[in-house]
Amino acid sequence: MTVFTYPQKVLFQHCDPAGIVFYPRYFEMINATVEDWFDARIGVSFAQMHGPLQVAVPTAALQISFTAPSRLGEMLEFRLTPTRLGRSSLDLEISAVCGDEQRLEMTATLVFTRNGAGKSVPWPDNLRAKIDNEINEMVEKNA
Amino acid sequence: MTVFTYPQKVLFQHCDPAGIVFYPRYFEMINATVEDWFDARIGVSFAQMHGPLQVAVPTAALQISFTAPSRLGEMLEFRLTPTRLGRSSLDLEISAVCGDEQRLEMTATLVFTRNGAGKSVPWPDNLRAKIDNEINEMVEKNA
Amino acid sequence: MTVFTYPQKVLFQHCDPAGIVFYPRYFEMINATVEDWFDARIGVSFAQMHGPLQVAVPTAALQISFTAPSRLGEMLEFRLTPTRLGRSSLDLEISAVCGDEQRLEMTATLVFTRNGAGKSVPWPDNLRAKIDNEINEMVEKNA
Amino acid sequence: MTVFTYPQKVLFQHCDPAGIVFYPRYFEMINATVEDWFDARIGVSFAQMHGPLQVAVPTAALQISFTAPSRLGEMLEFRLTPTRLGRSSLDLEISAVCGDEQRLEMTATLVFTRNGAGKSVPWPDNLRAKIDNEINEMVEKNA
């Protein structure tokens, strides 16, 4: 298994009057990456979570460095690696690169919640197993 | 001088399918707070920066905790405190509260750049003096 | 009673690489205007609609002219006039001006829906009475 | 030549507390469609326009009907057809469908401008020729 990647082009809507990505738009791109990862790798879409399952994975905390600006028209590759699974939390590392140049590097903690984003609750066993598997594959790959 | 505060109501456009603020929208609210602080306290607007002055203050890094969800219609108070002025950087602490409850707490580092967000350059003396004054007032107030 | 007005400053987040408001952001400003009108004039907030009442007022159709560009830092005044109340619809006229200059002019049709934006349903009597009153006041004012 | 199509998935960031696409987000999707059409069919990207060429194609007017709501996770197909080329304007028809169901139908007028979105100027010959060709292909196809 390889690192999860998600390509996103820098569109007009992402850019500010300085002609570079306005940083709140990066978080939309990052959320799209997380959304696609859950769908493609964990097997549960945000449509299922926010529809029949009535669960959510809000971001509880994050730290990010914007290491170089991104310009209109550039193709970015977002990379997501899960690093630690807690009882009801999940740590992720996300970066974005354009060719050889890194544009941002982030660590984030998501939490699993039910019925309207109140208190966090434990991950259900089926999701826990799939996330664990993703983390272990990464660890082995890096070993 | 008091802590800089900026009230913002949680609008429909800020909220996600779970009925709470989607976290990238918080960064739009935070940027609006920073924008108003520069205008009101430092005496230079983003319109001046991105127009005649041809300078910018992009965010280089940040860490944030989302301590409780915010819901449609709530009135949030954003609070901004400058904490450290570097040669070409500025550290800020920003929080948002709704009544007694904290919703987020962030530290961020901005950098001062010229002509299209390339390398950082030293703060000009007039801005440096005003920012320094803001930081000193805060220190005295807390002493 | 006077025309409903809602001031909004052009922020960094509204502007595109040409330094003017990106038109999708105008619709966020327009929605904020509609939201505030319902709260201030009709007595029902979007938080009540999308919370306990389980109703919504989605936009079904609109036409708009962007008559002049708006720039970072400008203060816009949005003006809303209700013009026609149907069984389950409502026509609005909305414009935005900066000083003497018009920036946009729109007509829109909203519909009243229940339980998740499916089919439109008739306005309840209490909302109908208040909206009707708003329209009549405008007609009398213009007579 | 076939009608230009651009697929876009309904993401979390597009959806409102009613769980459907918030209509300002449709305009971001529509702008992405226009952006890709200029790049793929006319041979000029928004990066070239807003960079070296110093031109822009702001939207001057539009009318749109939102014929059915779109939900989180749905795959939409946006379709763009150029219909009329003026001296400095361009009329477009854009629709979005999900499977057999239409979600929106829009006509818009763009204008060609130079150096910061002021007055419109005539299309340069190379762009005029390519847009004309696109329109003629569509007319022949429909004949």
Side-chain angles (χ1 to χ4, degrees):
Chain A
M1 193 174 306
T2 56
V3 169
F4 180 77
T5 61
Y6 189 69
Q8 294 187 78
K9 192 173 180 178
V10 177
L11 299 175
F12 197 64
Q13 68 195 75
H14 299 129
C15 294
D16 68 16
I20 59 174
V21 174
F22 179 47
Y23 81 90
R25 309 294 171 228
Y26 273 132
F27 291 107
E28 297 183 36
M29 293 168 136
I30 286 166
N31 202 70
T33 304
V34 171
E35 206 169 329
D36 204 59
W37 178 78
F38 268 103
D39 193 5
R41 292 285 176 96
I42 308 305
V44 59
S45 69
F46 271 45
Q48 291 169 301
M49 287 192 211
H50 289 272
L53 298 178
Q54 289 288 298
V55 302
V57 287
T59 299
L62 66 88
Q63 50 185 32
I64 189 166
S65 295
F66 302 101
T67 43
S70 297
R71 295 180 189 286
L72 181 56
E74 290 185 331
M75 184 58 72
L76 305 183
E77 183 182 274
F78 285 75
R79 297 173 181 170
L80 184 156
T81 309
T83 55
R84 198 190 63 82
L85 182 64
R87 199 187 61 101
S88 59
S89 68
L90 171 62
D91 290 354
L92 302 174
E93 282 180 12
I94 294 177
S95 63
V97 298
C98 180
D100 287 345
E101 190 179 58
Q102 190 184 69
R103 298 300 167 79
L104 63 83
E105 189 166 26
M106 181 178 97
T107 58
T109 301
L110 312 185
V111 292
F112 188 74
T113 66
R114 276 194 196 282
N115 300 321
K119 284 205 181 323
S120 61
V121 296
W123 292 98
D125 289 345
N126 61 334
L127 296 187
R128 170 172 295 280
K130 285 182 179 160
I131 298 172
D132 246 342
N133 188 50
E134 282 287 313
I135 295 175
N136 292 335
E137 296 274 355
M138 286 299 124
V139 170
E140 285 168 25
K141 184 171 171 293
N142 290 329
Chain B
M1 192 175 308
T2 54
V3 169
F4 180 76
T5 61
Y6 189 69
Q8 293 187 78
K9 191 174 181 177
V10 177
L11 300 175
F12 195 64
Q13 67 194 76
H14 300 128
C15 294
D16 68 16
I20 61 174
V21 174
F22 179 47
Y23 81 90
R25 311 294 170 226
Y26 273 133
F27 291 106
E28 297 182 36
M29 294 169 137
I30 285 166
N31 201 70
T33 304
V34 171
E35 206 169 330
D36 204 60
W37 178 78
F38 268 103
D39 193 6
R41 291 285 176 96
I42 308 305
V44 59
S45 70
F46 271 45
Q48 292 171 300
M49 288 193 211
H50 289 271
L53 299 177
Q54 289 288 298
V55 302
V57 287
T59 299
L62 66 88
Q63 50 185 31
I64 189 164
S65 295
F66 302 101
T67 43
S70 297
R71 295 179 190 286
L72 182 56
E74 289 185 333
M75 183 58 71
L76 304 183
E77 183 183 275
F78 285 76
R79 297 172 181 171
L80 185 156
T81 309
T83 56
R84 197 189 64 82
L85 182 64
R87 199 187 62 101
S88 59
S89 68
L90 172 61
D91 291 353
L92 301 175
E93 282 180 14
I94 294 178
S95 63
V97 298
C98 180
D100 288 344
E101 189 179 57
Q102 191 184 68
R103 298 299 168 79
L104 63 84
E105 188 166 27
M106 181 177 97
T107 59
T109 300
L110 312 185
V111 293
F112 188 74
T113 67
R114 277 193 195 283
N115 300 322
K119 284 203 179 324
S120 62
V121 296
W123 292 97
D125 289 346
N126 60 335
L127 295 187
R128 170 171 295 283
K130 284 181 180 160
I131 297 172
D132 247 341
N133 188 50
E134 283 286 313
I135 294 174
N136 292 334
E137 294 275 355
M138 285 300 124
V139 171
E140 285 169 24
K141 186 171 170 291
N142 291 329
Chain C
M1 193 175 304
T2 56
V3 169
F4 180 77
T5 62
Y6 189 68
Q8 294 187 77
K9 193 174 181 178
V10 177
L11 299 175
F12 196 65
Q13 67 195 78
H14 299 129
C15 294
D16 68 17
I20 60 175
V21 173
F22 179 47
Y23 81 89
R25 310 294 171 227
Y26 272 133
F27 291 107
E28 297 183 35
M29 294 168 137
I30 286 167
N31 202 71
T33 304
V34 171
E35 206 170 328
D36 204 59
W37 179 77
F38 268 103
D39 193 6
R41 291 287 176 95
I42 309 305
V44 58
S45 70
F46 271 45
Q48 291 170 300
M49 288 192 212
H50 288 271
L53 298 178
Q54 288 288 297
V55 301
V57 287
T59 299
L62 65 87
Q63 51 185 29
I64 189 165
S65 295
F66 302 100
T67 44
S70 296
R71 295 180 189 286
L72 181 56
E74 289 185 333
M75 183 57 72
L76 305 183
E77 183 183 275
F78 285 76
R79 297 173 181 169
L80 184 157
T81 309
T83 56
R84 199 190 63 81
L85 182 63
R87 198 186 64 99
S88 59
S89 68
L90 171 62
D91 290 354
L92 301 174
E93 281 180 14
I94 294 178
S95 62
V97 297
C98 180
D100 288 345
E101 191 179 57
Q102 191 183 68
R103 298 299 169 79
L104 63 84
E105 187 165 27
M106 181 178 96
T107 58
T109 300
L110 311 184
V111 292
F112 188 74
T113 66
R114 276 193 196 282
N115 300 322
K119 283 204 181 324
S120 62
V121 296
W123 292 98
D125 289 346
N126 61 334
L127 295 187
R128 171 172 294 282
K130 284 182 179 160
I131 297 172
D132 246 341
N133 188 50
E134 281 287 314
I135 294 175
N136 292 335
E137 295 274 355
M138 286 298 124
V139 170
E140 285 168 23
K141 184 170 170 292
N142 291 330
Chain D
M1 192 175 304
T2 56
V3 169
F4 180 77
T5 61
Y6 189 69
Q8 294 187 77
K9 192 173 181 177
V10 177
L11 300 174
F12 197 64
Q13 67 194 76
H14 300 129
C15 294
D16 68 17
I20 60 174
V21 173
F22 179 47
Y23 82 90
R25 309 295 171 227
Y26 273 133
F27 292 107
E28 296 183 37
M29 293 169 137
I30 286 167
N31 202 71
T33 304
V34 171
E35 206 169 330
D36 204 59
W37 178 77
F38 268 103
D39 193 5
R41 291 285 176 97
I42 309 305
V44 58
S45 69
F46 271 46
Q48 291 169 301
M49 288 193 211
H50 289 271
L53 298 178
Q54 289 288 297
V55 302
V57 288
T59 299
L62 66 87
Q63 50 186 30
I64 190 166
S65 294
F66 302 100
T67 43
S70 297
R71 295 180 190 286
L72 181 57
E74 290 185 332
M75 183 58 71
L76 304 184
E77 183 183 274
F78 285 75
R79 298 173 180 170
L80 184 156
T81 309
T83 55
R84 199 190 64 81
L85 182 65
R87 199 186 62 99
S88 59
S89 68
L90 172 61
D91 290 353
L92 302 174
E93 282 180 13
I94 294 177
S95 63
V97 298
C98 181
D100 288 344
E101 190 179 57
Q102 190 183 68
R103 297 300 168 78
L104 63 84
E105 188 165 28
M106 181 178 96
T107 58
T109 300
L110 311 185
V111 292
F112 187 74
T113 67
R114 277 194 195 282
N115 300 320
K119 284 204 181 325
S120 61
V121 297
W123 293 97
D125 289 345
N126 61 334
L127 295 187
R128 170 173 295 282
K130 284 181 179 160
I131 297 172
D132 247 341
N133 188 50
E134 282 287 314
I135 294 175
N136 292 335
E137 295 273 357
M138 284 300 125
V139 170
E140 285 167 26
K141 183 171 171 293
N142 291 329

